[in-house]
Amino acid sequence: MTKTFFSRFLTCVVAAFLCIGLLVPADQAEAADYWVYSDEAGTQYYVSSTKTDWRYRTNIHNAYIKAVYPNQRQRATYYSYSWDEGDVYYSAYKSDPRSVSTNPLAQAALNFCEAHWDRYGFHE
């Protein structure tokens, strides 16, 4: 009788995990960093899907950008975006706002966040 109870219990646990696995959307299964830009020195730039805060209903638009250098060292920073008089501006940590058009990395991160909002782990 104990063996029958244990086998039924184990069957129920396995069935529960299978059902949960089928209900989880495949495109939001895990958080990741997404490549957005490479510079001439070989540095790769990624946007974090978990640390980026890109809300359309408010004026909060922050992209968490991670730089991976050719020697595998890493550095990360937030770019804060704002819109004024038809132009888009960005500022890094405690810096003055600059036009996105002057920085290809800032432009690439902006394009990625706007195109992929609510996908790849980006959500409100």
Side-chain angles (χ1 to χ4, degrees):
M1 180 153 174
T2 305
K3 189 175 184 180
T4 305
F5 173 76
F6 182 72
S7 64
R8 285 184 181 178
F9 177 74
L10 188 59
T11 303
C12 289
V13 168
V14 170
F17 278 114
L18 285 173
C19 289
I20 291 170
L22 293 173
L23 294 175
V24 174
D27 64 342
Q28 294 182 3
E30 66 180 49
D33 297 332
Y34 294 94
W35 176 87
V36 292
Y37 184 73
S38 297
D39 65 15
E40 295 170 356
T43 304
Q44 304 289 316
Y45 296 91
Y46 299 86
V47 170
S48 170
S49 65
T50 58
K51 296 179 181 179
T52 295
D53 191 5
W54 202 268
R55 301 181 200 177
Y56 277 120
R57 294 187 183 115
T58 66
N59 198 23
I60 299 171
H61 304 287
N62 299 315
Y64 184 83
I65 300 172
K66 182 169 60 172
V68 179
Y69 299 98
N71 63 4
Q72 299 307 310
R73 295 189 71 159
Q74 298 181 11
R75 187 192 73 179
T77 188
Y78 276 102
Y79 276 8
S80 296
Y81 291 90
S82 59
W83 284 256
D84 187 28
E85 297 182 10
D87 201 5
V88 182
Y89 296 90
Y90 79 98
S91 60
Y93 180 74
K94 293 186 179 181
S95 69
D96 293 331
R98 297 180 183 153
S99 177
V100 168
S101 61
T102 63
N103 184 337
L105 169 59
Q107 182 69 56
L110 172 70
N111 292 345
F112 177 83
C113 290
E114 286 184 331
H116 298 291
W117 180 252
D118 205 20
R119 295 175 62 195
Y120 306 124
F122 288 87
H123 51 82
E124 288 187 66

